[in-house]
């Protein structure tokens, strides 16, 4: 539960100059504190900066209550921290606190304020005010009505700033940032209108690449790390510098001409590129997205181009074929060892939903997955006994509820033209068709060609099939942004396995309850026995001791407890007495 802050209390706490008091106050009022990992969101130095800030205000002129410190929004897959927030019915106030100027200077302040104004805009409140207080200069920065960054050391109007949120309900409004997760291939219009922002890590990667004097760059990152977004932003940056840009997408992109027109970047799927004549093209910069899917001859042809800038986005986890995996590993090792390559890694995930991530890792890895259980409210499990009923379900989900259904890619053998892994539903997409895209709502289809063991999910399709079955499932699962439906067709064992994941949290809670109940019962039994035996105050014969042991065993069995554990505790306690 959020504990709201009173500015008068902040002043009182800081004035005491007691570190224990300050730490205790923050432990209660830090809205973003991670109790599981014991990590604070709002620091003592930030509270000191906030105190310096509010000292510029005549507190008697404003309502001092209703402020929130260190709030973290991680709903919808994006994670953003806000130092100070205050809500009212018609206005949101956000204040970011900085002791010193960031390394990237004014530009970093402006980017953060623009990002926060865009993110807070999802709440559809007419007035969003975002400010940064720089304590070392005692200076205030904010975005004016034209979204231009301005600053001042005159704090005379601060009371009016705070009064904007004095009236109405100050309760926290949940900030769902899922609409801010832009998939350029799936949402080209939103990308073109710049309805997105890079993180500081992504900005650094972009700026490092722009300033790099070499010709070869590899951007490494896992699913959701923002590789495509950085690549697209690089394309726009190079175009603004007067360079001609070609973006090659290593996957299926039937609507590439429309997307190119909407985004304003020349995008071509690799099957439309004559790779042997790549040196003859007139572009200055070649960007290669999903380059882990390149064939060896394509890698060789691209590496022969020495006069053009070449930037590859890369994730070996998302290879779908054993040969892709081998080529990708060799290519990455070559780039890492080469002095002719800049290798930059986007660590962590921007598109990150802890609940969905936990579910996916547990489903894929089972007991080997080191994740925290959740209630998994964003995951729905459906069982259909046959393909006909499954197809009806998929039809309803895709047509009436705007889901994208995904299942393993069909494969036709080259020699005999036999179709392998025929799709269950004509309304679903092959995995290969959704590479590089994300969707709000996804159905992932599992047939009877899957099983599991302690190490996790395994593919059991017995005929020749060149694609990596679990990598396909991983690719399908990681396309989701909001709601995930798991459709199991005719595979009762798998349905039960997934059910155990979805109810994992309940079992953990039940086991904890039973441990606590068992511990209380143990203490009750021990105390009763010790009290009874001490009251007799006579020496014990062997028969007496056997009778006591029998009592302990009987009482333990009645309550489902371990008699041996209780006996050892009784012995220890009686020896101590």
């Amino acid at each position: 539960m959020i504990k709201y802050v009173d500015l008068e209390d902040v002043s009182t706490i800081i004035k005491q100059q007691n570190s224990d008091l300050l730490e205790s106050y923050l432990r209660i009022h830090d809205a973003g504190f991670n109790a599981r990992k014991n990590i604070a969101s709002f620091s003592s130095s930030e509270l000191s900066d906030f105190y310096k800030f509010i000292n510029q205000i005549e507190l008697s002129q404003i309502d001092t209550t209703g402020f929130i410190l260190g709030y973290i929004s991680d709903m919808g897959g994006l994670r953003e921290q806000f130092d100070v927030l205050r809500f009212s019915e018609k206005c949101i106030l956000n204040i970011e606190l900085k002791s010193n100027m960031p390394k990237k200077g004014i530009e970093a302040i402006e980017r953060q304020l623009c990002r926060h104004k865009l993110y807070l805009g999802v709440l559809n409140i007419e007035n969003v005010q975002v400010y940064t207080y720089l304590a070392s200069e005692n200076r205030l920065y904010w975005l004016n009505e034209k979204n231009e960054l301005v600053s001042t050391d005159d704090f005379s109007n601060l009371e009016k700033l705070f009064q904007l949120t004095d009236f109405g309900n100050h309760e926290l409004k949940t900030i769902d940032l899922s609409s801010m997760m832009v998939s350029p291939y799936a949402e080209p219009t939103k990308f073109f209108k710049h309805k997105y922002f890079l993180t500081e890590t992504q900005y650094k990667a972009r700026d490092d690449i722009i300033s790099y004097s070499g010709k070869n760059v590899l951007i490494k990152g896992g699913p959701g790390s923002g590789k495509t977004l950085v690549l697209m932003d690089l394309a726009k940056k190079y175009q603004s510098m007067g360079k001609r840009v070609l973006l090659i997408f290593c996957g299926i992109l039937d609507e590439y001409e429309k997307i190119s027109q909407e985004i304003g970047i020349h995008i071509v799927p690799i099957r439309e590129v004559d790779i042997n004549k790549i040196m003859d093209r007139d572009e200055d910069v070649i960007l290669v997205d999903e380059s882990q899917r390149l064939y060896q001859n394509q890698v060789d042809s691209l590496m022969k181009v020495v006069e053009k800038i070449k930037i590859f986005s890369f994730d070996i986890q998302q290879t779908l074929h054993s040969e892709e995996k081998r080529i990708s590993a060799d290519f990455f090792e070559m780039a890492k060892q080469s002095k002719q390559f800049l290798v930059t890694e986007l660590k962590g995930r921007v598109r990150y939903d802890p609940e969905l991530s936990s579910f996916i890792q547990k489903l894929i890895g089972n007991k080997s997955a080191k994740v925290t259980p959740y209630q998994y409210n964003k995951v729905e499990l459906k069982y259909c006994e046959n393909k006909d009923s499954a197809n009806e379900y998929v039809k309803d989900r895709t047509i009436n509820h705007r889901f994208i259904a995904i299942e393993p890619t069909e494969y036709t053998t080259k020699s005999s033209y036999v179709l392998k892994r025929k799709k269950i539903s004509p309304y679903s997409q092959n995995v290969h068709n959704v590479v590089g895209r994300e969707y709000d709502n996804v159905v992932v289809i599992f047939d009877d060609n899957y099983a599991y063991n302690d190490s996790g999910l395994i593919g059991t399709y017995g005929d020749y099939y060149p694609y990596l079955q679990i990598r396909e499932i991983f690719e399908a699962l990681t396309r989701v942004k909001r709601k995930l439906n798991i459709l199991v067709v005719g595979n009762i064992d798998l349905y039960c396995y997934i059910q155990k994941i979805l109810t994992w949290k309940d079992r953990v809670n039940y086991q904890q309850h039973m441990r606590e109940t068992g511990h209380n019962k143990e203490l009750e039994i021990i105390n009763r026995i010790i009290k009874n035996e001490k009251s007799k105050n006579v020496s014990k014969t062997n028969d007496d001791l056997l009778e006591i042991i029998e009592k302990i065993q009987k009482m333990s069995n009645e309550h489902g407890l371990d008699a041996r554990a209780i006996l050892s505790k009784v012995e220890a306690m009686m020896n101590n007495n």
Side-chain angles (χ1 to χ4, degrees):
M1 179 180 291
I2 296 292
K3 300 291 186 182
Y4 296 89
V5 168
D6 187 323
L7 302 185
E8 297 276 12
D9 290 345
V10 173
S11 297
T12 300
I13 295 296
I14 293 294
K15 287 176 182 177
Q16 305 312 302
Q17 296 185 344
N18 184 293
S19 59
D20 291 337
L21 177 64
L22 195 153
E23 184 178 338
S24 295
Y25 180 80
L26 285 178
R27 182 62 186 83
I28 294 172
H29 293 92
D30 180 357
F33 182 82
N34 187 326
R36 192 176 288 118
K37 297 182 178 179
N38 196 34
I39 298 175
S41 172
F42 198 89
S43 67
S44 57
S45 62
E46 287 174 315
L47 193 68
S48 298
D49 291 341
F50 192 37
Y51 169 68
K52 185 175 181 180
F53 172 75
I54 61 180
N55 270 346
Q56 315 302 319
I57 308 164
E58 181 54 57
L59 296 183
S60 62
Q61 302 299 311
I62 64 169
D63 174 10
T64 61
T65 64
F67 291 85
I68 301 168
L69 304 181
Y71 175 73
I72 294 176
S73 169
D74 57 8
M75 284 192 65
L78 283 174
R79 192 177 192 277
E80 190 72 17
Q81 191 259 6
F82 300 85
D83 287 345
V84 182
L85 284 171
R86 197 190 199 202
F87 296 93
S88 69
E89 293 176 2
K90 295 185 178 180
C91 183
I92 304 172
L93 174 63
N94 169 219
I95 302 165
E96 293 302 307
L97 305 165
K98 301 193 184 300
S99 297
N100 300 291
M101 182 66 73
K103 290 182 180 179
K104 289 289 184 179
I106 297 295
E107 183 182 1
I109 290 176
E110 182 176 11
R111 287 198 301 238
Q112 185 183 49
L113 292 181
C114 288
R115 190 169 68 246
H116 281 198
K117 189 167 186 178
L118 178 66
Y119 288 174
L120 292 169
V122 303
L123 296 172
N124 294 319
I125 293 177
E126 60 187 59
N127 192 354
V128 177
Q129 298 288 329
V130 289
Y131 290 78
T132 293
Y133 174 65
L134 186 58
S136 60
E137 299 179 6
N138 199 32
R139 194 168 188 85
L140 200 61
Y141 295 82
W142 74 97
L143 297 177
N144 63 17
E145 293 179 355
K146 297 180 180 180
N147 281 335
E148 299 168 334
L149 186 70
V150 292
S151 69
T152 184
D153 57 5
D154 181 3
F155 291 80
S156 59
N157 291 323
L158 271 179
E159 285 84 3
K160 293 180 181 179
L161 165 64
F162 277 72
Q163 287 166 1
L164 288 171
T165 54
D166 268 359
F167 303 101
N169 191 342
H170 295 316
E171 283 188 12
L172 173 69
K173 294 173 175 60
T174 302
I175 305 168
D176 184 348
L177 298 178
S178 56
S179 63
M180 295 293 105
M181 289 197 301
V182 178
S183 175
Y185 299 121
E187 302 167 296
T189 302
K190 185 182 285 190
F191 176 84
F192 176 73
K193 292 181 178 178
H194 207 276
K195 294 293 184 180
Y196 72 94
F197 277 95
L198 303 182
T199 66
E200 289 305 311
T201 300
Q202 291 170 337
Y203 270 119
K204 182 181 185 306
R206 189 202 68 175
D207 293 346
D208 288 347
I209 292 167
I210 291 293
S211 60
Y212 178 58
S213 59
K215 299 292 186 181
N216 301 305
V217 177
L218 189 144
I219 303 172
K220 179 178 181 291
S225 59
K227 299 182 299 298
T228 296
L229 207 57
V230 171
L231 211 62
M232 293 280 193
D233 203 72
L234 278 165
K236 292 172 68 175
K237 186 73 172 177
Y238 279 122
Q239 286 180 163
S240 71
M241 296 163 61
K243 295 186 181 297
R244 292 163 296 184
V245 176
L246 171 67
L247 193 152
I248 299 174
F249 179 72
C250 299
I252 299 169
L253 197 65
D254 294 332
E255 64 278 25
Y256 68 94
E257 292 178 337
K258 179 184 177 183
I259 293 175
S260 295
Q261 187 175 9
E262 289 192 38
I263 289 180
I265 299 169
H266 187 196
I267 302 172
V268 181
I270 195 161
R271 67 183 181 186
E272 299 293 331
V273 177
D274 186 345
I275 201 70
N276 295 316
K277 296 182 179 179
I278 194 75
M279 285 188 290
D280 300 331
R281 298 186 66 99
D282 59 1
E283 287 90 1
D284 305 301
V285 181
I286 298 174
L287 308 173
V288 187
D289 198 10
E290 306 290 345
S291 63
Q292 72 275 359
R293 304 199 59 233
L294 288 168
Y295 296 149
Q296 189 62 58
N297 69 304
Q298 294 168 337
V299 173
D300 295 340
S301 294
L302 285 164
M303 292 312 300
K304 289 177 183 177
V305 180
V306 295
E307 298 300 323
K308 304 177 189 295
I309 296 172
K310 303 180 295 298
I311 304 174
F312 303 85
S313 79
F314 180 92
D315 179 13
I316 199 167
Q317 293 183 67
Q318 296 187 74
T319 50
L320 301 176
H321 190 289
S322 57
E323 191 64 9
E324 286 179 2
K325 187 177 179 181
R326 183 193 64 77
I327 295 169
S328 296
D330 291 346
F331 180 51
F332 177 66
E333 192 61 31
M334 178 274 295
K336 197 167 61 170
Q337 300 297 330
S338 173
K339 295 181 180 179
Q340 307 301 317
F341 256 93
L342 169 67
V343 177
T344 182
E345 183 172 1
L346 298 176
K347 295 183 178 179
R349 296 181 64 179
V350 178
R351 176 171 53 85
Y352 175 69
D353 185 302
E355 177 186 325
L356 289 172
S357 177
S358 171
F359 173 79
I360 292 168
Q361 290 184 64
K362 187 66 174 175
L363 174 61
I364 298 293
N366 198 5
K367 293 183 179 180
S368 64
K370 297 178 180 179
V371 293
T372 300
Y374 288 82
Q375 291 295 345
Y376 302 122
N377 295 317
K378 298 178 181 180
V379 182
E380 182 178 309
L381 180 60
K382 172 75 174 180
Y383 180 82
C384 289
E385 62 179 338
N386 54 49
K387 292 182 179 181
D388 290 339
S389 58
N391 181 47
E392 287 302 313
Y393 176 79
V394 172
K395 180 180 178 180
D396 175 67
R397 292 282 96 183
T398 54
I399 294 176
N400 299 324
H401 300 280
R402 297 184 178 181
F403 275 73
I404 298 295
I406 309 172
E407 56 181 309
T409 298
E410 295 177 327
Y411 177 75
T412 302
T413 58
K414 295 177 181 179
S415 58
S416 55
Y417 301 101
V418 175
L419 182 64
K420 303 289 186 178
R421 296 305 300 265
K422 184 179 179 180
K423 289 200 302 180
I424 286 174
S425 173
Y427 297 95
S428 68
Q429 300 286 330
N430 286 326
V431 166
H432 283 70
N433 286 4
V434 299
V435 169
R437 299 167 176 82
E438 294 85 36
Y439 306 96
D440 285 342
N441 307 310
V442 171
V443 178
V444 178
I445 303 172
F446 292 82
D447 58 16
D448 57 1
N449 291 298
Y450 295 95
Y452 68 93
N453 57 27
D454 286 349
S455 298
L457 193 67
I458 54 177
T460 60
Y461 187 73
D463 292 345
Y464 174 73
Y465 184 69
Y467 304 127
L468 303 171
Q469 295 178 66
I470 304 307
R471 290 287 181 93
E472 283 189 303
I473 289 297
F474 180 74
E475 184 72 19
L477 292 168
T478 54
R479 299 308 92 202
V480 65
K481 293 197 291 186
R482 291 193 179 188
K483 189 75 175 177
L484 175 62
N485 280 191
I486 301 294
L487 172 60
V488 178
V489 185
N491 191 333
I492 294 174
D493 287 344
L494 185 68
Y495 181 89
C496 295
Y497 167 62
I498 298 173
Q499 172 274 132
K500 289 178 181 177
I501 297 173
L502 294 179
T503 56
W504 180 23
K505 179 72 171 179
D506 293 336
R507 292 200 308 280
V508 169
N509 290 339
Y510 174 74
Q511 290 164 0
Q512 177 64 26
H513 168 72
M514 291 305 295
R515 281 196 296 269
E516 292 173 357
T517 303
H519 178 67
N520 291 337
K521 289 292 183 184
E522 281 184 0
L523 290 178
E524 181 184 330
I525 291 170
I526 291 169
N527 287 330
R528 281 165 57 187
I529 291 171
I530 292 176
K531 183 178 179 181
N532 182 56
E533 297 308 316
K534 287 180 69 177
S535 66
K536 295 179 181 179
N537 198 25
V538 295
S539 60
K540 302 290 187 295
T541 67
N542 288 339
D543 289 341
D544 293 329
L545 293 174
L546 286 173
E547 184 180 344
I548 293 171
I549 292 171
E550 287 176 1
K551 286 181 182 178
I552 292 174
Q553 289 176 330
K554 181 179 178 181
M555 296 172 74
S556 301
N557 291 336
E558 287 175 355
H559 296 286
L561 303 172
D562 184 352
R564 288 176 297 180
I566 297 177
L567 280 167
S568 63
K569 292 178 183 179
V570 170
E571 182 182 11
M573 293 179 71
M574 293 187 75
N575 287 337
N576 290 335
N577 287 278

